[in-house]
Amino acid sequence: MSSVRVIKNNGKNAAWIGELSFRQLPRIKDVAFVKDEIAFILNDDRIIYVPLTWSKKLVKANSKQRKNFKNNGIHVFWDDLNEIIGVKNILFGKELFL
C-alpha cells in the first residue's frame, strides 16, 4: 500500500484532471480519521492521507460529526457540515476541494 501526504498542483498543469472520467479513477471504500489527518481507503488498496486542515469544516467538527458521513465511492458527504470531498480532490490536491 502507498500513501500520499502532500500534493501540490500548478493550476496551468491541472486542467487535464477535470477531463478524467470517474470510471478511470479508483473508488473510495472507506474513510477514517487518524490524529490530524483524514485517511481515504481506496478500492485499489491505496490509503491516501490528507491533512484535516484542508477542510475548514471538518477541522472544526467534533468526532461524532466527522464520523457521520455518506460514501458513494466517488464522493464523501458530510451532510450535517455541508462538506463534500471527492476522489479527484484526494488524488490531485487541495486546490480541487469544494
Side-chain angles (χ1 to χ4, degrees):
M1 290 189 280
S2 66
S3 64
V4 175
R5 296 274 181 197
V6 176
I7 301 172
K8 294 185 179 180
N9 288 317
N10 179 330
K12 296 176 186 174
N13 296 331
W16 62 272
I17 296 168
E19 297 173 10
L20 287 173
S21 107
F22 287 111
R23 290 186 311 252
Q24 296 172 289
L25 299 171
R27 297 185 61 86
I28 303 167
K29 283 196 319 188
D30 203 0
V31 177
F33 290 87
V34 182
K35 296 184 182 178
D36 59 348
E37 296 178 313
I38 311 168
F40 293 90
I41 298 93
L42 305 181
N43 68 345
D44 63 4
D45 294 327
R46 284 184 288 173
I47 301 174
I48 309 295
Y49 296 88
V50 298
L52 189 56
T53 57
W54 278 14
S55 168
K56 293 177 185 177
K57 295 175 183 179
L58 287 172
V59 79
K60 293 178 184 177
N62 62 41
S63 179
K64 183 178 178 181
Q65 291 172 313
R66 289 178 187 163
K67 292 178 183 176
N68 186 24
F69 62 85
K70 296 174 188 167
N71 174 14
N72 72 3
I74 297 189
H75 296 96
V76 180
F77 303 90
W78 285 268
D79 290 336
D80 296 343
L81 303 172
N82 194 29
E83 178 69 298
I84 302 169
I85 298 176
V87 69
K88 286 184 181 180
N89 305 117
I90 63 173
L91 290 173
F92 302 111
K94 178 181 177 181
E95 290 81 9
L96 297 176
F97 271 40
L98 301 174

